[in-house]
Every structure is written in structure tokens, then in C-alpha cells.
Amino acid sequence: MTPTFDHWLLSRRSLLMASAAGVFGVFRAPEQVLAASKASDSAWDLSDAQWKQRLSPESYSVLRREGTEAPFTSPLNNEKRDGTYHCAGCDQPLFSSKAKFDSGTGWPSFFEPLPGAIATKVDFKLIIPRTEYHCSRCGGHQGHVFNDGPRPTGKRYCNNGVALRFQPV
């Protein structure tokens, strides 16, 4: 089937609308985006005030408002011990230290999450679509995934350090 002009126009219009939403900051909070994918555990359906009380200002900005910490500021970037990286919001295990690698980007990077640990959505905040990922339990924003990572997956899960807690073995 050959796409029609109407199909092309609709696709172009959808892309432009999504891009404009990102440029002008029109986005939904993580809890709204991931409501369907989160576990039925209502313990993590906290109010904004409860999240602010629970998290540091830096972690709140990243986990609940999809902010980004400055590169090369996280001590986890240089963490080399065996262990597990957990969501700083709900303590769900997200990554094994075996999947961590030095990407040179200034943020802790991993080539593979633990099974069922994350949920993704498309992010148009920089106009170009990117894949954003969140903790599948509490919806906390972690970072973005790119296709320039090492084998075996070729993925780079670029994580904000303030969104993680490291648990050594």
C-alpha cells in the first residue's frame, strides 16, 4: 500500500505537534506516563509533597521532574565494586554492576537493565526523539537509552547518578 498525501500530512503533523510539546515543556509527570506500566503496589503512588519530603532536592528534580544532573558530578560514575544499582526513589534494583561500563559521558552508564526494572517512553524535549526510561515501580526518571553502547546489546543506558543508590555485594 502506497502512503497517501493525507497519511504523510497526518504523520508530519503528529511529529510537529509532539516536537512542539517538547520544546514548550508540555509534558506529563512520570507518574502519569507510567501509570499503566507500574506494578499495582499503591505504596509508590505518593503525592508531590511526599516525594519532596522523601528525596533530596537534586534527586527530586531528576526523579520526579525529569531533570538532568551535571556530568562528572556523581560519585557513582567511578564506582567499580560488585553490586546492584537501585532506584533512589523506591529502592527497586535496576542494574547489575556487571552491566556497567565507562562511556566517557560523565554519567553512570549500563548496557542492560535487570529484567522488568524499567519502562520507556519517547521524549521530544530536544525536538529529536530520544528514548527516556523510568523505574517500572515508582515511575522515577532515570535517564535516556542510546544505540551507541558496547556488546552484547549495543545499548547505552545513560543514568543520572542522583537517581540511583548503589548496594555493594
Side-chain angles (χ1 to χ4, degrees):
M1 177 177 143
T2 305
T4 65
F5 178 76
D6 288 339
H7 178 266
W8 176 85
L9 185 60
L10 181 59
S11 296
R12 184 171 169 82
R13 184 176 296 137
S14 297
L15 177 63
L16 289 172
M17 298 273 296
S19 296
V23 168
F24 295 110
V26 180
F27 63 92
R28 296 178 292 170
E31 57 272 11
Q32 294 171 318
V33 173
L34 298 171
S37 66
K38 288 194 307 186
S40 61
D41 183 2
S42 62
W44 299 108
D45 290 335
L46 304 178
S47 70
D48 195 53
Q50 289 171 310
W51 281 115
K52 280 184 179 178
Q53 185 177 23
R54 178 180 179 84
L55 301 169
S56 70
E58 297 82 11
S59 293
Y60 174 82
S61 173
V62 169
L63 288 165
R64 307 318 304 170
R65 293 290 163 241
E66 299 177 347
T68 302
E69 71 182 342
F72 301 102
T73 60
S74 173
L76 294 180
N77 201 34
N78 296 317
E79 179 61 63
K80 306 285 188 229
R81 297 175 289 172
D82 287 340
T84 308
Y85 293 83
H86 294 241
C87 174
C90 70
D91 205 34
Q92 173 169 260
L94 301 176
F95 298 97
S96 166
S97 62
K98 292 180 174 99
K100 188 171 187 275
F101 70 100
D102 184 1
S103 65
T105 62
W107 291 280
S109 297
F110 306 87
F111 60 79
E112 181 177 56
L114 294 171
I118 65 165
T120 62
K121 73 170 188 166
V122 177
D123 165 8
F124 288 98
K125 290 179 195 131
L126 297 179
I127 299 177
I128 299 168
R130 301 180 298 169
T131 302
E132 183 176 303
Y133 63 96
H134 296 251
C135 170
S136 64
R137 179 161 54 191
C138 72
H141 171 75
Q142 296 293 321
H144 291 85
V145 60
F146 303 96
N147 293 319
D148 60 1
R151 291 182 178 178
T153 65
K155 301 288 184 188
R156 173 174 53 96
Y157 291 83
C158 189
N159 219 103
N160 288 281
V162 296
L164 295 172
R165 183 186 68 77
F166 180 67
Q167 178 66 50
V169 171

